[in-house]
Amino acid sequence: GNSVTQMEGPVTLSEEAFLTINCTYTATGYPSLFWYVQYPGEGLQLLLKATKADDKGSNKGFEATYRKETTSFHLEKGSVQVSDSAVYFCALRGNNNDMRFGAGTRLTVKP
Amino acid sequence: DTAVSQTPKYLVTQMGNDKSIKCEQNLGHDTMYWYKQDSKKFLKIMFSYNNKELIINETVPNRFSPKSPDKAHLNLHINSLELGDSAVYFCASSQVGESRGTQYFGPGTRLLVL
């Protein structure tokens, strides 16, 4: 079945550092890929998405490119801020509309 | 207006009790979901409903039962609560074919079973 694997956390960075959170997936067909963010005490919010190969999703300085050849959707940001501290979830939606989430990666950004 | 809302936000109860969590979405979506998030933040899908039909039912105990009175509501009823049911429960909704099925989440209900 479909699955998502993302790098284990926690990840701790200093402000303005470069962020990469790896995500790889296994799926049949042509899934859509998502990154969700969960701030402390809140629900999940869609951060960005990509619906086909080579698409780049971007939002709030975050980017991720749908790489079919490596089955990856790594999240990147060039300069993180303290306010980016949250848990980040990579997710996949398959052709049958079944949604699968990664285990989540906790990011802490220190001033 | 809140797109996906859940009540209550917090729920503290004793083992063995029966409780319900309500979810409403005003997005006009045709599919709603319930997820359980454990203390390690791992998200597990429990149920999804499409046009009042259960289309995904992961291996959850039958003490959990989703109830959908209409397309905008999907409530979660839990019988005989156990300590291990303590978690955060999230409701979500999506529209098949729209934005390739992006799911929109509620704020969560934090359940603590004593």
Side-chain angles (χ1 to χ4, degrees), chain A residues 13-19 77-82 109-110:
Chain A
L13 296 173
S14 297
E15 208 164 20
E16 299 184 2
F18 184 84
L19 169 70
K77 186 174 185 181
S79 177
V80 293
Q81 306 299 313
V82 172
V109 181
K110 296 186 174 181

Side-chain angles (χ1 to χ4, degrees), chain B residues 28-60:
Chain B
H29 287 167
D30 60 8
T31 306
M32 296 181 71
Y33 312 80
W34 276 105
Y35 289 86
K36 179 180 180 181
Q37 186 177 46
D38 62 24
S39 58
K40 296 183 179 180
K41 299 297 185 181
F42 184 72
L43 267 173
K44 176 184 176 182
I45 188 166
M46 302 177 72
F47 304 103
S48 72
Y49 255 77
N50 185 328
N51 293 326
K52 294 192 175 184
E53 289 186 67
L54 181 66
I55 59 173
I56 300 175
N57 186 348
E58 298 291 321
T59 54
V60 299

Side-chain angles (χ1 to χ4, degrees), chain A residues 33-69:
Chain A
L33 301 174
F34 305 82
W35 277 100
Y36 280 84
V37 58
Q38 184 180 26
Y39 298 104
E42 298 184 11
L44 277 72
Q45 303 174 25
L46 178 67
L47 180 59
L48 53 85
K49 66 181 180 184
T51 59
K52 60 183 187 295
D54 299 326
D55 270 2
K56 177 185 283 187
S58 61
N59 185 25
K60 298 181 181 179
F62 291 89
E63 292 183 342
T65 301
Y66 190 149
R67 301 285 189 201
K68 192 169 176 63
E69 64 276 13

Side-chain angles (χ1 to χ4, degrees), chain B:
Chain B
D1 285 344
T2 303
V4 182
S5 59
Q6 297 179 224
T7 54
K9 188 172 182 180
Y10 299 95
L11 182 55
V12 181
T13 188
Q14 300 288 329
M15 278 176 53
N17 284 351
D18 301 339
K19 291 293 179 184
S20 292
I21 307 172
K22 296 184 177 181
C23 178
E24 176 180 4
Q25 55 95 3
N26 62 6
L27 298 168
H29 287 167
D30 60 8
T31 306
M32 296 181 71
Y33 312 80
W34 276 105
Y35 289 86
K36 179 180 180 181
Q37 186 177 46
D38 62 24
S39 58
K40 296 183 179 180
K41 299 297 185 181
F42 184 72
L43 267 173
K44 176 184 176 182
I45 188 166
M46 302 177 72
F47 304 103
S48 72
Y49 255 77
N50 185 328
N51 293 326
K52 294 192 175 184
E53 289 186 67
L54 181 66
I55 59 173
I56 300 175
N57 186 348
E58 298 291 321
T59 54
V60 299
N62 57 15
R63 298 181 294 103
F64 291 80
S65 56
K67 299 185 189 302
S68 181
D70 56 56
K71 201 171 79 165
H73 297 83
L74 183 65
N75 303 325
L76 182 65
H77 190 74
I78 315 170
N79 289 327
S80 302
L81 279 156
E82 300 177 358
L83 294 178
D85 297 333
S86 296
V88 182
Y89 293 84
F90 287 101
C91 177
S93 72
S94 70
Q95 178 69 26
V96 173
E98 177 185 294
S99 298
R100 289 299 301 273
T102 300
Q103 291 191 8
Y104 295 85
F105 283 78
T109 295
R110 286 145 186 82
L111 171 65
L112 177 61
V113 182
L114 303 175

